[in-house]
Amino acid sequence: MKKVLVYGLGLTGISAAKTLDKMGYDVYTFDKNKKEVKELKGYNYSPISDSEICDFDFEFVVKSPGIPPRDEVVKKLSEKYEIISDIELSFRLFPEEKIIATTGTNGKTSTTSMISHILNESGRKAISVGNIGEGILWQMYENPSAIFSCELSSFQLHDVSTYKPHIASITNITEDHIDWHGSFDDYINSKLNISRRQDSGDFLVINHDDPILEDHKADFKAKVYEFSSKEEVDRGAYLKGSSIFFKDQGKNIKLMDVDDLSIIGRHNYENLMAAILACFIYGVSIEDIIRGSKSFKSIEHRLEFVTDIRGVKIYNDSKGTNVDSSVKAIQSFDKPMVIIAGGYDKNIDYSPYVKEFKKHGKLMVIIGQTTDKLASLCEAYKVNYKKAKDMEEAVKISFDNLEEGDIFLLSPASASWGMYRNFEERGRDFKEKIEKYKG
């Protein structure tokens, strides 16, 4: 029986351990914070200690994506074993599964969800997996007939060596997670791993407006489709005025007006165009694509409309965990705005965020580890700001400064760590605090 080690018993680790056990592997686990988890009750696995991890002849090690390469245990394991992500393992265990893979700094969750929605609306069974929902391995094991729309993070793509999706999308690449990767180049290379092993029989959807992707366009071996919100493309989808068009093999047809959609913001129209192209390549009809696009609703925590209080429209964009994402959220509105900003510091440049907010911003309410950094930038760019110790105080300060017709936005341009376990918890807390002000 082949021995494998699962390092990290979070969502992906639990999914990996369950699947590997069911497929006949001898599963060992290591987690610095826990030895046993209730989700693995009834499954065969052997927790081991730090001192034992190099005492076995493991075929490979499946590492949790959140554990960085500089981790001391990772360094020790890499001297003896191959270290792979759950995404790489999914391709090795289930090479024949139907996969549409998506990555990008921003928009990958929305695009992944849009792809699943359009596919399901067309009568196919599709499941969103990867960096969204349940772990990919267990979903693939339990649903052999499904199509898997995979959201892939740079962490997951960092540890792949054979992964080769037939259809892949890259929504954009901007600076993020430098604290984990150590450099922007490593982050870029990890993102590009989604396409690195594709060949002329595969397909790649890219953002025509992204300079990094355009710089690497000549390196892509797959057949490339592009989307753009700025200009017409040679092959793909583009936004012209308030309409989305599709262009391929001499055809140039209008698909829909954005006013007919339930989503807002240019960045969301870009995400939808990426999803449209992926679904078209997969074989979904134009009619089904149009119908599915129009019925898609905004995802929780992603520029989610919360409520309207005394003429103030409130939006939860807790998924705005980096500068580019939050800049795009700000650009979705042209009315006076109060924004809640800040959180965990990922060592990135926040000046584009502050400069964009200045155009319509009334007040930036700052929380978290990035408080002093954002406050200094606000002073430099002459942006009004106030500091708050937590979300409750931030919401109170915001309402003290909001007037009818204003936009109230949570889009922090920062991760939630240090104050919350994840961006979902932060978004829910924001909405709970908003409830206090209703009526």
Side-chain angles (χ1 to χ4, degrees):
M1 187 180 293
K2 296 177 180 178
K3 294 184 176 68
V4 295
L5 174 66
V6 176
Y7 178 20
L9 290 174
L11 188 69
T12 58
I14 292 169
S15 173
K18 289 164 61 176
T19 305
L20 288 165
D21 172 47
K22 287 294 185 180
M23 298 187 75
Y25 285 83
D26 189 4
V27 180
Y28 292 76
T29 62
F30 172 72
D31 191 298
K32 295 176 182 178
N33 302 312
K34 51 190 172 184
K35 289 187 177 181
E36 298 183 9
V37 293
K38 61 181 181 180
E39 292 89 346
L40 290 177
K41 186 177 181 180
Y43 294 90
N44 297 311
Y45 69 104
S46 303
I48 60 175
S49 66
D50 185 3
S51 61
E52 299 177 284
I53 57 174
C54 289
D55 295 342
F56 299 87
D57 188 21
F58 295 125
E59 183 178 356
F60 51 80
V61 175
V62 185
K63 178 181 73 67
S64 170
I67 301 170
R70 65 179 178 277
D71 177 78
E72 290 302 319
V73 176
V74 171
K75 290 179 180 178
K76 186 189 298 186
L77 288 167
S78 63
E79 293 176 359
K80 186 174 181 181
Y81 309 116
E82 179 189 19
I83 297 178
I84 63 175
S85 66
D86 62 325
I87 298 301
E88 172 68 19
L89 182 56
S90 73
F91 187 71
R92 297 185 187 186
L93 295 181
F94 307 102
E96 302 304 318
E97 296 298 336
K98 298 178 284 292
I99 292 171
I100 300 176
T102 303
T103 194
T105 304
N106 300 306
K108 55 185 178 293
T109 301
S110 294
T111 302
T112 298
S113 301
M114 289 170 177
I115 290 169
S116 292
H117 178 80
I118 293 170
L119 287 168
N120 282 312
E121 288 293 292
S122 73
R124 299 163 171 86
K125 179 183 179 180
I127 303 173
S128 296
V129 293
N131 198 41
I132 181 174
E134 289 187 51
I136 186 172
L137 291 163
W138 189 243
Q139 286 282 24
M140 285 187 166
Y141 179 79
E142 287 212 306
N143 300 279
S145 62
I147 307 164
F148 297 95
S149 181
C150 306
E151 177 192 338
L152 307 185
S153 70
S154 60
F155 303 164
Q156 291 169 311
L157 288 168
H158 184 274
D159 296 302
V160 298
S161 57
T162 67
Y163 188 71
K164 182 180 177 292
H166 180 53
I167 303 172
S169 301
I170 309 176
T171 58
N172 48 60
I173 300 179
T174 58
E175 191 178 46
D176 199 13
H177 298 303
I178 306 305
D179 57 325
W180 193 97
H181 285 275
S183 71
F184 191 26
D185 284 342
D186 186 77
Y187 176 75
I188 292 170
N189 288 330
S190 295
K191 287 292 187 187
L192 294 177
N193 273 341
I194 197 172
S195 62
R196 209 171 298 279
R197 280 158 288 278
Q198 287 186 306
D199 55 39
S200 58
D202 299 316
F203 297 88
L204 180 65
V205 176
I206 64 170
N207 187 340
H208 176 77
D209 305 329
D210 187 281
I212 293 174
L213 292 173
E214 284 300 298
D215 285 346
H216 286 84
K217 192 174 174 180
D219 301 330
F220 299 136
K221 299 180 180 68
K223 186 176 182 180
V224 173
Y225 280 76
E226 297 182 272
F227 62 90
S228 173
S229 62
K230 296 180 179 179
E231 61 185 9
E232 186 173 329
V233 297
D234 293 333
R235 178 172 59 204
Y238 63 95
L239 183 67
K240 183 178 181 181
S242 61
S243 300
I244 294 175
F245 289 80
F246 172 74
K247 186 178 179 182
D248 187 35
Q249 296 180 343
K251 296 179 180 179
N252 194 357
I253 59 175
K254 176 182 171 180
L255 296 180
M256 65 198 78
D257 291 322
V258 296
D259 292 340
D260 295 330
L261 302 172
S262 298
I263 53 176
I264 62 170
R266 183 175 292 268
H267 63 299
N268 270 325
Y269 306 146
E270 292 174 352
N271 298 335
L272 180 59
M273 288 189 284
I276 285 170
L277 292 173
C279 290
F280 171 78
I281 293 165
Y282 189 82
V284 182
S285 70
I286 293 295
E287 292 75 19
D288 283 342
I289 286 173
I290 293 171
R291 187 173 67 253
S293 298
K294 289 181 178 180
S295 62
F296 181 81
K297 300 288 191 287
S298 295
I299 304 170
E300 188 180 18
H301 312 300
R302 292 160 180 85
L303 209 57
E304 170 199 9
F305 176 68
V306 178
T307 190
D308 184 316
I309 298 180
R310 299 189 300 277
V312 174
K313 293 189 181 298
I314 303 168
Y315 292 85
N316 165 30
D317 191 49
S318 183
K319 186 61 172 66
T321 57
N322 59 63
V323 167
D324 187 62
S325 176
S326 290
V327 165
K328 289 177 178 176
I330 293 168
Q331 290 172 340
S332 300
F333 307 97
D334 60 0
K335 295 180 179 180
M337 178 185 296
V338 172
I339 193 169
I340 295 180
Y344 176 78
D345 189 357
K346 293 191 283 186
N347 298 317
I348 56 179
D349 180 13
Y350 292 92
S351 56
Y353 173 65
V354 177
K355 285 192 284 187
E356 188 63 38
F357 177 71
K358 183 179 180 178
K359 294 176 183 178
H360 299 290
K362 291 178 60 177
L363 177 69
M364 180 176 286
V365 184
I366 310 171
I367 59 176
Q369 192 182 89
T370 55
T371 294
D372 290 341
K373 184 177 287 188
L374 284 168
S376 295
L377 286 168
C378 285
E379 290 175 4
Y381 293 110
K382 295 181 172 54
V383 170
N384 293 327
Y385 75 92
K386 289 188 178 180
K387 298 178 182 179
K389 66 178 183 293
D390 54 25
M391 186 65 75
E392 184 165 10
E393 185 178 22
V395 171
K396 182 182 184 304
I397 291 171
S398 298
F399 272 105
D400 287 343
N401 290 272
L402 285 161
E403 300 174 299
E404 184 177 352
D406 289 350
I407 298 295
F408 181 19
L409 175 65
L410 168 69
S411 191
S414 306
S416 60
W417 309 319
M419 297 183 73
Y420 301 94
R421 288 177 297 178
N422 48 52
F423 71 85
E424 293 97 338
E425 185 177 88
R426 177 172 62 189
R428 286 193 294 269
D429 188 35
F430 173 70
K431 291 192 289 185
E432 287 171 6
K433 300 298 185 289
I434 295 299
E435 282 294 317
K436 292 183 177 181
Y437 286 86
K438 279 193 173 181

